[in-house]
Amino acid sequence: MSGEVAKAVAAIEDHDVGYETTPMGTIIEAENAEALFEAAADAHAAVDADRVETFLKIDDKRAVEQAAGEKVEAVADELGHEPRRDAEE
């Protein structure tokens, strides 16, 4: 699937959005819903397969401006270290 995921990510890169690909999906950050939907639609269309599933979970904070990375930093601050450990450790 990595080749198809790469096609989807390449399609996202054609848009003025931020993104991070993780082992379980790709997080997209956009200034507005329209930009997000356009990037997601192009990513979906870029996958060349008989069946394509695209899941969207939208966190639209309207009263506070906060990037996804800031959420992770807040957890790290509470823990006192990065919220990550490799399975091999």
Side-chain angles (χ1 to χ4, degrees):
M1 291 298 303
S2 61
E4 297 305 315
V5 172
K7 290 177 187 177
V9 170
I12 291 169
E13 290 178 338
D14 290 339
H15 294 268
D16 187 23
V17 298
Y19 77 90
E20 178 183 359
T21 299
T22 73
M24 299 304 291
T26 298
I27 300 164
I28 302 172
E29 289 189 278
E31 289 295 320
N32 56 59
E34 181 179 89
L36 171 71
F37 290 129
E38 287 177 6
D42 285 354
H44 182 88
V47 177
D48 183 24
D50 292 337
R51 182 177 181 178
V52 180
E53 293 184 356
T54 299
F55 299 91
L56 295 177
K57 178 179 177 182
I58 299 171
D59 183 1
D60 186 4
K61 285 187 155 185
R62 295 178 177 174
V64 177
E65 195 168 311
Q66 182 182 38
E70 291 174 311
K71 295 176 184 182
V72 176
E73 290 171 7
V75 172
D77 289 345
E78 290 292 326
L79 284 170
H81 61 82
E82 289 295 313
R84 176 186 177 138
R85 177 181 295 153
D86 291 329
E88 297 172 0
E89 290 182 12

